[in-house]
Amino acid sequence: MTSLNGAGQIALEVNNLQVTYYTDSGRVKAVDGVDLTLKAGERLGLVGESGCGKSTLALALMRMIKPPGRIEAGSAIIHTDMGSIDLLKLNEEEIRQARLSKISYIPQGAMNSLNPVMRVGKQMIDAMRSHIPRASERELTERAEQALESVELKRSVFRMYPHELSGGMKQRVCIAIGILLSPKVIIADEPTSALDVVVQRQVMETICRVQEKIHAAVILIGHDMGLMAQITNRVAVMYAGKLVEVSTVREMFTDPLHPYAQALIRSLPNLDNKGIFQGIPGLAPSLLRLPSGCVFHPRCEHAMEICKSAPPPKSVTPAGRFVSCHLYDEQGNRAHVTGHKQKPVASP
Amino acid sequence: MKIGYLVRRFLFLVFVVWTAATVLFFIPRLSRVNPIRERFAEIQRSTGYAPRDLENIIKAFETKFGLDKPLIEQYLDYMGSVLRGDLGVSLMRYPRTVVDLIGQALPWTVILLTVTTLLTFLIGTGIGALAGWPRSPSWVKGMVTPLMVLAAVPGYLLGLLLIYFIAFRAKLLPLSGAYTTGRFLGPELSIEFILDVARHAILPALSLILTSVGFWALGMRGMGVTVQGEDYVNFAEHKGLKQGRIFYWYYVRNAILPQVTALALAFGSIVSAGILVENLYGFPGIGSLLNAAILANDFFVIYGIGMITIVAVGVSMMIIDLTYPLLDPRIRYDRK
């Protein structure tokens, strides 16, 4: 793995995670057989179009999927010094304990994520108190103020109400809450989407710094490929509920394997190719009526006969890259290269 | 909070009370009926006694009460005496004063309506909060519907049913009145008397509570459904808080804000809220007094009760305005 300072032991191991929403118009497989491994201290970017299941994946790890959604299968194991726990097998009380202390979540809508009638400090103490009920008020106050300082806020924010803070400050408070109990895994769901670009960058740097300090693994969900390139170590690309490729950030941007990832990278504005923007033809499929075989085949420029009928294998290259595409065999070598290439199949 | 705001808020209260009192003064006067002539006609109907010099007697009384002066002069006189705390004399129960009559009736109404308003608020808001909470069992969520049906029934109609079935047929509770008049000569401070009053108050209270609990429940459920979807409730769960804590401190605490405003208004109007129900149960409160005063065209009693209602509404609105920042820190008055 490139540029992973101190990354070693595995922090989170997700296997075959499946989440289904039972809607009136049918079953929607929002997350369909996702495998993912995160090392301590690592930053993974999770990208994909709106509705591809990124947030559902995050909520499933927090065990916050509400009916009509259901986690159908899979495991999500967090490895700590005190042993391993499968988040998906915990009961209500155990998962409540695990939230924030083992795995924490930094919300998307930070503008509105703080209780408007409660002082910031009380909300932080509230969070800690529900995990360490016997701690003294002074100890918790000190810890909360330290957390505020570590996200570059003044200690006085402790006594302020959310409406007295700016958007960036509110987002920082949410980050401070997220790291209060030094979790092993932090999920940041588009944490900067409501902020302007300058503040975005500052907030992102804050997340990275505190994450390095507590040596947590971070899953950063978002659309902003530029931000991903700067911040993350690895990037996972999701399409219609499935992971299609997981590679290091360098490999992803220079040599993406999966045709969807290739199209995604090509669609980015490029200094060498000024003025030419290339979109991805077609639309993301409705999760209610997924195409047969490989879900990407109707939009894929490399689609072959087999793509229409058989789901692609999950391959891992010798370099540790994950790709799920018929162009590659189980070892991730380019297979079927001799197979007749086809024009893109028209959308159904 | 700045003193300047307090002063402005108080002047506003005075303005509201004065405006409402002015409107109140002229409305009963639109009626052409002469209350003194009516009173004598009434006496004649019931006793057969007709004074010989009726026209002169009526004139004498009109002069005595100031009813012969031009309306605008009467208005100024009345406003002046109100400022001095004098609400005048009752035309129907002369020579008793309006202050005396109201003073006798007010405690009954205040006690009955304060208790019922508080109970209604607590029960309705509680049911509404539970009904809007996604984790509540479905029978709790379904409770709002029957309560809404009850809320569509006027209190006096439900009161009739309660009187018929509980008081008349089953003889479980007294039919009417505020206490057993044969047992007690008048209000007194004893356990027996208080228990007796409570027994008499159950049915009027039930008629008022059952018919208005639905409104509170519906209002709270509406706000609750909105608040439970807010990011801060979700984030509270992400923080691993216990359900009870999220329910009270994140959900109820935010959803209840409009309910508190409504409660203040309800407290302001307790003087007039139970008029029909009080009449139905022969309860010696302000409602019964007002009913009698309207029937007798007793201007001064109508004015007196009206003034109390106006002042009560105005003052409770002022109190809620001044205390709201304690409930919702986003509202503050010290900004320029």
Side-chain angles (χ1 to χ4, degrees):
Chain A
M1 216 77 358
T2 58
S3 69
L4 269 188
N5 32 358
Q9 68 275 51
I10 287 170
L12 173 70
E13 223 180 323
V14 180
N15 283 307
N16 190 32
L17 181 60
Q18 293 186 22
V19 182
T20 305
Y21 290 102
Y22 291 84
T23 68
D24 290 339
S25 25
R27 285 170 46 181
V28 173
K29 284 189 175 178
V31 173
D32 190 6
V34 164
D35 305 307
L36 205 56
T37 304
L38 263 102
K39 295 188 174 144
E42 180 183 25
R43 292 193 286 268
L44 175 89
L46 183 60
V47 298
E49 290 166 60
S50 296
C52 73
K54 304 182 301 273
S55 289
T56 300
L57 174 59
L59 291 180
L61 294 179
M62 295 302 295
R63 284 277 300 279
M64 288 279 289
I65 299 285
K66 302 263 169 73
R70 224 172 79 190
I71 300 174
E72 302 281 20
S75 63
I77 296 161
I78 285 199
H79 298 283
T80 68
D81 305 334
M82 278 95 76
S84 306
I85 49 167
D86 185 345
L87 292 172
L88 305 189
K89 293 208 169 49
L90 300 179
N91 66 29
E92 279 280 305
E93 175 60 18
E94 288 166 340
I95 187 65
R96 182 187 76 70
Q97 294 278 354
R99 287 178 192 141
L100 200 67
S101 65
K102 304 277 190 300
I103 181 165
S104 76
Y105 181 87
I106 297 172
Q108 189 169 14
M111 286 304 178
N112 203 14
S113 287
L114 298 171
N115 187 345
V117 298
M118 219 187 235
R119 289 180 199 277
V120 168
K122 184 145 192 286
Q123 301 189 45
M124 300 180 81
I125 287 185
D126 232 17
M128 287 184 283
R129 175 82 61 209
S130 57
H131 294 88
I132 26 178
R134 280 182 303 279
S136 75
E137 194 76 13
R138 260 190 48 210
E139 193 185 324
L140 294 183
T141 304
E142 177 59 27
R143 240 168 119 166
E145 290 186 349
Q146 275 175 12
L148 288 173
E149 273 184 340
S150 72
V151 295
E152 281 133 26
L153 289 172
K154 289 197 184 117
R155 281 183 174 233
S156 56
V157 170
F158 186 85
R159 271 172 286 106
M160 291 169 93
Y161 282 105
H163 70 272
E164 298 169 303
L165 307 176
S166 72
M169 290 165 89
K170 280 187 220 172
Q171 187 64 68
R172 281 170 197 279
V173 170
C174 288
I175 297 168
I177 291 175
I179 57 160
L180 275 174
L181 299 174
S182 303
K184 291 287 156 196
V185 179
I186 298 170
I187 301 173
D189 190 355
E190 297 188 40
T192 58
S193 56
L195 306 174
D196 72 61
V197 279
V198 178
V199 183
Q200 262 185 14
R201 194 183 163 82
Q202 294 169 347
V203 167
M204 270 305 168
E205 281 166 358
T206 304
I207 292 183
C208 293
R209 222 189 29 263
V210 295
Q211 168 252 343
E212 273 162 18
K213 205 170 98 189
I214 64 174
H215 205 58
V218 167
I219 300 179
L220 178 65
I221 298 175
H223 302 101
D224 189 338
M225 295 297 277
L227 208 62
M228 294 289 169
Q230 289 172 6
I231 300 292
T232 61
N233 308 118
R234 281 196 300 157
V235 177
V237 179
M238 207 167 171
Y239 185 80
K242 295 183 175 68
L243 285 185
V244 296
E245 179 172 346
V246 185
S247 295
T248 65
V249 70
R250 178 164 299 276
E251 288 160 345
M252 183 62 82
F253 279 86
T254 54
D255 174 33
L257 296 176
H258 194 279
Y260 177 64
Q262 290 168 0
L264 209 57
I265 300 299
R266 267 208 308 277
S267 70
L268 298 175
N270 190 326
L271 276 180
D272 304 329
N273 251 337
K274 282 179 207 156
I276 302 171
F277 290 100
Q278 220 175 345
I280 304 175
L283 286 173
S286 156
L287 292 175
L288 274 169
R289 279 174 301 279
L290 285 177
S292 60
C294 171
V295 286
F296 186 60
H297 85 258
R299 299 171 76 186
C300 180
E301 53 183 5
H302 303 293
M304 303 170 291
E305 269 313 310
I306 185 171
C307 301
K308 292 187 209 164
S309 51
K314 292 175 176 175
S315 327
V316 179
T317 70
R321 301 176 69 180
F322 169 90
V323 64
S324 176
C325 177
H326 283 298
L327 290 173
Y328 304 90
D329 65 19
E330 302 279 326
Q331 281 74 46
N333 302 311
R334 274 174 212 266
H336 306 295
V337 268
T338 50
H340 49 288
K341 273 193 185 172
Q342 280 192 340
K343 295 238 169 75
V345 183
S347 300
Chain B
M1 200 176 302
K2 290 271 163 67
I3 298 296
Y5 177 77
L6 267 176
V7 171
R8 262 184 296 141
R9 189 64 190 76
F10 183 76
L11 289 179
F12 181 69
L13 172 70
V14 170
F15 175 75
V16 166
V17 169
W18 172 72
T19 312
T22 304
V23 173
L24 180 74
F25 181 87
F26 289 103
I27 285 179
R29 297 305 178 93
L30 296 176
S31 152
R32 297 277 169 199
V33 180
N34 181 330
I36 296 163
R37 190 181 300 278
E38 287 298 303
R39 184 83 183 99
F40 278 104
E42 164 84 39
I43 291 170
Q44 194 175 359
R45 267 197 304 278
S46 54
T47 64
Y49 167 73
R52 263 170 297 161
D53 208 3
L54 185 59
E55 287 310 314
N56 277 334
I57 293 176
I58 291 173
K59 282 228 168 58
F61 271 112
E62 280 183 342
T63 314
K64 182 170 176 52
F65 296 137
L67 295 176
D68 54 344
K69 293 184 196 165
L71 200 51
I72 193 73
E73 208 172 306
Q74 290 186 41
Y75 168 73
L76 294 175
D77 281 354
Y78 182 71
M79 286 296 159
S81 55
V82 164
L83 281 181
R84 290 190 301 272
D86 174 14
L87 295 177
V89 287
S90 163
L91 299 177
M92 61 178 177
R93 308 241 178 104
Y94 179 76
R96 294 189 65 180
T97 63
V98 173
V99 173
D100 179 31
L101 286 177
I102 290 177
Q104 204 174 46
L106 194 60
W108 292 109
T109 296
V110 168
I111 291 171
L112 177 68
L113 269 297
T114 305
V115 173
T116 53
T117 305
L118 262 185
L119 278 178
T120 319
F121 171 80
L122 291 175
I123 298 171
T125 304
I127 291 176
L130 287 169
W133 185 241
R135 290 182 175 234
S136 298
S138 50
W139 66 268
V140 174
K141 293 181 188 167
M143 270 171 80
V144 175
T145 315
L147 288 179
M148 274 315 288
V149 174
L150 268 179
V153 179
Y156 55 88
L157 269 187
L158 183 74
L160 279 177
L161 287 179
L162 291 177
I163 290 177
Y164 181 72
F165 285 106
I166 297 179
F168 181 69
R169 295 291 291 271
K171 298 198 183 344
L172 292 174
L173 290 166
L175 280 165
S176 73
Y179 55 92
T180 316
T181 32
R183 263 177 79 194
F184 307 94
L185 290 172
E188 58 181 65
L189 254 181
S190 67
I191 303 289
E192 291 89 49
F193 182 74
I194 292 172
L195 285 178
D196 191 55
V197 168
R199 261 169 59 80
H200 280 79
I202 291 178
L203 286 187
L206 266 185
S207 332
L208 289 169
I209 292 175
L210 288 177
T211 50
S212 50
V213 113
F215 292 111
W216 292 101
L218 199 73
M220 185 63 182
R221 188 187 63 168
M223 271 313 287
V225 167
T226 313
V227 167
Q228 62 85 18
E230 290 285 351
D231 291 339
Y232 50 82
V233 174
N234 254 312
F235 190 45
E237 205 172 348
H238 278 294
K239 289 196 292 187
L241 295 192
K242 293 191 173 126
Q243 284 298 320
R245 197 149 181 91
I246 302 177
F247 181 79
Y248 185 74
W249 284 101
Y250 290 74
Y251 167 76
V252 171
R253 187 62 183 71
N254 279 289
I256 208 168
L257 296 174
Q259 297 282 103
V260 175
T261 313
L263 178 66
L265 291 179
F267 266 120
S269 53
I270 58 172
V271 177
S272 57
I275 292 177
L276 289 172
V277 170
E278 274 187 19
N279 274 296
L280 180 67
Y281 286 95
F283 194 80
I286 290 286
S288 299
L289 181 62
L290 180 62
N291 186 46
I294 290 173
L295 289 178
N297 261 298
D298 189 340
F299 301 137
F300 296 114
V301 171
I302 298 176
Y303 293 160
I305 294 175
M307 285 303 291
I308 290 185
T309 311
I310 295 163
V311 171
V313 171
V315 167
S316 44
M317 272 164 60
M318 185 168 94
I319 290 175
I320 194 65
D321 262 8
L322 296 182
T323 53
Y324 212 71
L326 298 177
L327 282 173
D328 189 343
R330 284 167 294 187
I331 292 172
R332 292 172 62 177
Y333 299 123
D334 52 7
R335 298 229 180 83
K336 290 272 146 115

